[in-house]
Amino acid sequence: MAEMYIRVAEEENEEPMEIPSEDDGTVLLSTVAAQFPGACGLRYRSPVSQCMRGVRLVDGILHAPENGWGNLVYVVNYPKGTKMDEIDASSATKIKRGDQKTSDLIVLGLPWKTSEQDLKDYFSTFGEVIMVQVKRDLKTGNSKGFGFVRFTEWESQGKVMSQRHMIDGRWCDCKLPNSKQGPDEPMRSRKVFVGRCTEDMTADELRQFFMQYGEVTDVFIPKPFRAFAFVTFADDQVAASLCGEDLIIKGISVHISNAEPKHNNTRQMMERAGRFGNGSLCHLPPMSICSHRTAR
């Protein structure tokens, strides 16, 4: 079956994004949530009645209307009273005023050499640190590329979450762990973007390569070929540990980045996409491509 995309936008009057469907023509809610975090469904305006209609959702799967998806623009549904930017855990202002207790923050993109003491020394400049931890492989003791930090004061936590951090020569991000960001977040964070792919890389080859890091649940290569792929892991921590890496596959250096979108400027994201592949990337549908990070 030929690859099919449906057009999805946050609002009716906004430029839509193309989102891939499954082989049977359905669309996974997790696929929508990967581009629009917090999405709980889709709706569209009926060409006949001009009224908004909801798309049928069953067990996390969105089913096409009776006449198929067509060329309609589908609008994202969010839980009542919630907007996309309110779900962004990178800002402490999203935490309710009545619940200002600090939480463990996950630190993503850590260099392999960073130790607990390094983390404590760095984050102590923002306030009193209760706990720091670098997650390590149980067998080798090597860092997995991420860790955790917790502060005494909620204000310190807010400062840390509102900016990126240069730790041991590399940009890192701090956010609330997946378990505290809603039901769709774990699905979103298990997927990584693989840039600079070549046409001779098959889905099976990519699956075999990435299985050395952890269980792979899905590999998606767009058709027609667009010099990138998506790999989904069973463990979101595996995905987090690979984000920002440059890996060699079949003698080619590919760049791994988070599949999570950035919502601020769609056009900027499309322009930045060209850094990770050849000219064909200028036709990419709007989606997130993380900024190139300095290799560890």
Side-chain angles (χ1 to χ4, degrees), residues 84-152:
M84 181 186 289
D85 56 359
E86 293 172 350
I87 299 169
D88 187 353
S90 65
S91 173
T93 59
K94 310 307 185 278
I95 302 175
K96 295 181 179 178
R97 282 287 178 185
D99 185 23
Q100 295 187 345
K101 297 179 181 179
T102 61
S103 304
D104 291 351
L105 301 180
I106 187 169
V107 187
L108 300 174
L110 287 177
W112 304 126
K113 65 180 181 179
T114 302
S115 66
E116 277 84 0
Q117 188 61 50
D118 294 331
L119 278 188
K120 186 171 183 179
D121 291 344
Y122 174 82
F123 285 112
S124 291
T125 62
F126 293 89
E128 184 180 355
V129 175
I130 300 175
M131 178 276 300
V132 291
Q133 180 186 26
V134 174
K135 296 297 290 183
R136 300 182 181 279
D137 186 279
L138 293 178
K139 295 181 179 178
T140 65
N142 295 330
S143 169
K144 289 186 175 182
F146 68 98
F148 295 91
V149 62
R150 185 165 187 166
F151 293 89
T152 302

Side-chain angles (χ1 to χ4, degrees), residues 15 43 83 91-92 104 108 110 144 174 184 202 204 215:
E15 181 179 358
R43 65 186 187 277
K83 291 292 185 180
S91 173
D104 291 351
L108 300 174
L110 287 177
K144 289 186 175 182
C174 293
D184 293 321
T202 67
D204 285 340
E215 181 183 353

Side-chain angles (χ1 to χ4, degrees), residues 28 43-44 75 87 136 156 165 174 251 265:
L28 299 181
R43 65 186 187 277
Y44 65 99
V75 181
I87 299 169
R136 300 182 181 279
S156 300
H165 304 273
C174 293
N265 192 318

Side-chain angles (χ1 to χ4, degrees), residues 8-73:
V8 179
E10 188 178 7
E11 301 290 348
E12 272 193 283
N13 59 352
E14 291 186 355
E15 181 179 358
M17 171 185 292
E18 289 187 335
I19 290 182
S21 67
E22 301 302 303
D23 290 341
D24 60 0
T26 62
V27 174
L28 299 181
L29 180 59
S30 59
T31 301
V32 177
Q35 307 303 325
F36 300 92
C40 64
L42 293 176
R43 65 186 187 277
Y44 65 99
R45 189 170 297 281
S46 168
V48 179
S49 67
Q50 292 302 305
C51 293
M52 296 302 290
R53 293 182 178 179
V55 175
R56 187 161 61 95
L57 174 66
V58 180
D59 295 331
I61 300 174
L62 292 157
H63 295 264
E66 183 177 352
N67 296 323
W69 295 108
N71 200 37
L72 299 173
V73 174

